[in-house]
Amino acid sequence: MNENRTGTLYLCATPIGNLEDITYRVLRILKEVDLIAAEDTRNSIKLLNHFEIKTPMTSYHEYNKIDKAYQLVEKLRQGKNIALITDAGTPGISDPGEDIVRICYEEGIPVTSLPGAAACITALTMSGLPTRRFAFEAFLPKDKKEHQAVLEELKNETRTMIIYEAPHHLVKTLKELADTLGGDRRLTICRELTKRHEEKIQMTLGESLSYYEINEPRGEYVLVIAGKSRTQVEEEARAGWESMSLEEHMAVYESQGIARKEAMKLVAKDRGVSKRDIYNQLI
């Protein structure tokens, strides 16, 4: 080993269910590195044993993520190469991986990511909902105030939304989403991704509540939810403006120092009519 060379942190994606969903590159790196940092060593040893990987392993999880990160950074400084793995999927997505990556950048340690399985992308691509623009929310925050703030932000989100949820919280979360987004909002509920009993169900939020009154939630869930349509956003904005009188609407812009002629143009745009219509009504 070259003592003057800094080691590299490898973020290695592992299967989210089906063990065949691991890359040749990840298998090679897991065998070649000096140490594997795992979110749960008891869970990860099953994966390593399956692929006959004998590399030493240490724990790196939510409850030791800062102190342990600096310990691992010190080993990297000494020239050790370390692979980071999570229980399932890509490190840094809904796990403490993001903290050690940040610390490595602060300490000048090289980091690279070996792509592979990710539950959010797997669910999105099979959801049947728009995939060009999406917002990944992972698990909703546990803090009540932050939790409510995120729900309010999602109310007007036009991108497809992806949320993770555990079975014992699923019905409560679906009810909150139905109350916030409307019971007619469409979603695809994905369960047991890549496994033998993989399940994808398309329905509305309202229908999902009725469904899980009969079918007890089991396994980990990914909710892929349709965003609000741009047409609906524009209609709601227009309704808000139309609740004002024309002079009140004009005053909104003129109070900002905007000339009356330009303000008429903006008001016309807000209301979806021509500038001439606004001019004629004002006089």
Side-chain angles (χ1 to χ4, degrees), residues 204-233:
T204 65
L205 283 167
E207 290 167 346
S208 71
L209 289 170
S210 301
Y211 179 83
Y212 286 107
E213 285 178 359
I214 302 169
N215 301 277
E216 181 185 357
R218 296 176 184 274
E220 299 298 315
Y221 288 83
V222 184
L223 311 178
V224 186
I225 309 161
K228 180 181 281 189
S229 72
R230 291 191 177 278
T231 301
Q232 187 178 354
V233 171

Side-chain angles (χ1 to χ4, degrees), residues 185-198:
R185 186 69 67 89
R186 296 207 62 78
L187 82 160
T188 301
I189 300 177
C190 301
R191 185 179 73 88
E192 297 292 277
L193 290 171
T194 77
K195 299 177 184 176
R196 179 176 297 176
H197 300 295
E198 177 179 275

Side-chain angles (χ1 to χ4, degrees), residues 12-277:
C12 295
T14 53
I16 59 176
N18 192 316
L19 290 179
E20 293 178 356
D21 295 333
I22 193 165
T23 69
Y24 288 120
R25 185 180 174 208
V26 166
L27 289 175
R28 176 175 62 81
I29 291 297
L30 290 178
K31 292 175 181 178
E32 291 179 356
V33 293
D34 299 288
L35 182 67
I36 296 172
E39 186 177 9
D40 185 339
T41 55
R42 294 167 301 179
N43 179 67
S44 295
I45 193 66
K46 300 171 188 175
L47 176 75
L48 300 190
N49 286 342
H50 180 82
F51 290 107
E52 300 181 345
I53 296 169
K54 307 298 184 184
T55 307
M57 187 164 46
T58 188
S59 64
Y60 177 75
H61 50 70
E62 183 65 28
Y63 303 103
N64 70 357
K65 62 183 181 181
I66 302 301
D67 291 342
K68 192 61 174 282
Y70 283 105
Q71 293 175 30
L72 294 173
V73 163
E74 186 55 37
K75 292 182 183 296
L76 288 158
R77 283 192 191 286
Q78 295 169 8
K80 303 285 188 184
N81 289 316
I82 298 175
L84 180 68
I85 59 176
T86 182
D87 283 351
T90 301
I93 303 295
S94 296
D95 70 31
E98 65 178 90
D99 294 283
I100 190 171
V101 170
R102 171 179 53 80
I103 291 168
C104 280
Y105 272 93
E106 292 170 356
E107 300 294 325
I109 302 295
V111 178
T112 190
S113 184
L114 282 60
C120 54
I121 299 300
T122 303
L124 174 66
T125 54
M126 68 169 65
S127 69
L129 295 173
T131 61
R132 189 178 71 84
R133 300 170 65 250
F134 61 92
F136 176 58
E137 286 294 335
F139 291 93
L140 294 176
K142 292 180 180 177
D143 178 81
K144 287 185 178 180
K145 190 173 181 180
E146 187 182 359
H147 186 98
Q148 194 56 44
V150 169
L151 285 173
E152 284 300 310
E153 289 172 2
L154 295 180
K155 185 181 291 186
N156 292 311
E157 179 61 72
T158 57
R159 295 171 293 181
T160 300
M161 296 163 276
I162 307 170
I163 294 174
Y164 288 165
E165 195 49 274
H168 53 289
H169 289 144
L170 181 67
V171 173
K172 178 176 179 288
T173 297
L174 288 171
K175 186 175 189 314
E176 288 179 332
L177 290 168
D179 291 343
T180 303
L181 308 177
D184 60 347
R185 186 69 67 89
R186 296 207 62 78
L187 82 160
T188 301
I189 300 177
C190 301
R191 185 179 73 88
E192 297 292 277
L193 290 171
T194 77
K195 299 177 184 176
R196 179 176 297 176
H197 300 295
E198 177 179 275
E199 183 178 57
K200 294 86 65 181
I201 309 173
Q202 285 191 334
M203 56 179 75
T204 65
L205 283 167
E207 290 167 346
S208 71
L209 289 170
S210 301
Y211 179 83
Y212 286 107
E213 285 178 359
I214 302 169
N215 301 277
E216 181 185 357
R218 296 176 184 274
E220 299 298 315
Y221 288 83
V222 184
L223 311 178
V224 186
I225 309 161
K228 180 181 281 189
S229 72
R230 291 191 177 278
T231 301
Q232 187 178 354
V233 171
E234 291 168 1
E235 288 175 351
E236 289 175 357
R238 188 172 299 132
W241 288 120
E242 289 174 350
S243 67
M244 295 182 177
S245 69
L246 272 181
E247 284 296 351
E248 287 172 336
H249 196 163
M250 288 287 293
V252 169
Y253 292 115
E254 290 181 314
S255 65
Q256 300 173 38
I258 296 172
R260 192 166 179 81
K261 187 175 181 181
E262 183 62 26
M264 281 193 279
K265 187 185 296 184
L266 293 172
V267 168
K269 183 179 179 182
D270 290 341
R271 293 177 177 246
V273 298
S274 70
K275 181 183 171 185
R276 180 174 291 278
D277 287 337

